[in-house]
Amino acid sequence: ILLLVVLQVSRMDSRFDLAVPGIGLPQQVVQGGETHIKLARDGHFWLEAELNGVPARFLIDTGATLTAVSTQTASKAGLQPRAGGMPIRMQTANGSVAVDLTSIEELRFGNVAARGLDAIIASNLGRTNVVGMNLLSRLASWRVEGDTMILVPNNPQPALES
């Protein structure tokens, strides 16, 4: 049980990056206009995406209101806090945190492309990025069947190689 707890925590806490090697993520595939994502061994759905053209890994969190990007990923993708914006306080499962609002020009994965997506830049994420309901609600539909999450875009794009 302890090993499972450490593996779960290691996905969300960058301090474990050296102690626990990355577990290979199941690949996402595009089938019949849908993006299928297999459940990872850690019990979460992870996807490989491009954030403003920069490769990035995201955890899909149906309990998150907004898409969240780590400070490291935001820097690589050229995301900046909104001009004149003050950091805001958000309540998370881990307590209250200060975050900056930003806009993502384009987030792509599978056959999904989200443009002009509101997001937050959060330093407490380590290197984890999170797809929240503000992206999922833009889709025609999404569902979980067994160990597969199926995302159906309103306007399917050519498949992005993962």
Side-chain angles (χ1 to χ4, degrees):
I1 292 174
L2 179 59
L3 177 60
L4 290 175
V5 170
V6 169
L7 289 174
Q8 288 282 29
V9 171
S10 71
R11 290 292 206 180
M12 302 300 282
D13 191 334
S14 62
R15 293 176 294 181
F16 287 92
D17 287 347
L18 296 176
V20 180
I23 297 172
L25 299 177
Q27 249 189 345
Q28 62 220 25
V29 296
V30 175
Q31 296 176 339
E34 303 172 334
T35 296
H36 292 231
I37 303 168
K38 286 288 198 184
L39 187 67
R41 287 185 270 184
D42 68 359
H44 297 286
F45 293 102
W46 291 87
L47 57 87
E48 296 292 333
E50 285 187 2
L51 173 61
N52 294 347
V54 175
R57 179 176 68 159
F58 282 81
L59 167 74
I60 299 175
D61 184 352
T62 60
T65 304
L66 291 172
T67 296
V69 180
S70 71
T71 53
Q72 295 91 337
T73 301
S75 177
K76 289 178 187 174
L79 295 179
Q80 297 293 321
R82 288 196 178 144
M86 297 286 292
I88 60 172
R89 304 258 349 135
M90 289 190 69
Q91 193 62 35
T92 71
N94 295 326
S96 180
V97 296
V99 298
D100 290 306
L101 291 173
T102 190
S103 293
I104 295 173
E105 186 176 320
E106 182 178 67
L107 179 61
R108 290 207 52 186
F109 56 90
N111 65 341
V112 175
R115 295 177 183 92
L117 184 68
D118 289 334
I120 58 172
I121 300 171
S123 60
N124 69 322
L125 293 176
R127 292 192 306 185
T128 302
N129 305 298
V130 176
V131 166
M133 286 303 298
N134 68 321
L135 186 149
L136 295 177
S137 65
R138 288 185 174 196
L139 300 173
S141 68
W142 64 270
R143 65 190 184 279
V144 176
E145 293 181 5
D147 66 349
T148 304
M149 178 174 269
I150 301 168
L151 306 169
V152 183
N154 285 305
N155 184 18
Q157 302 295 302
L160 182 66
E161 297 298 320
S162 57

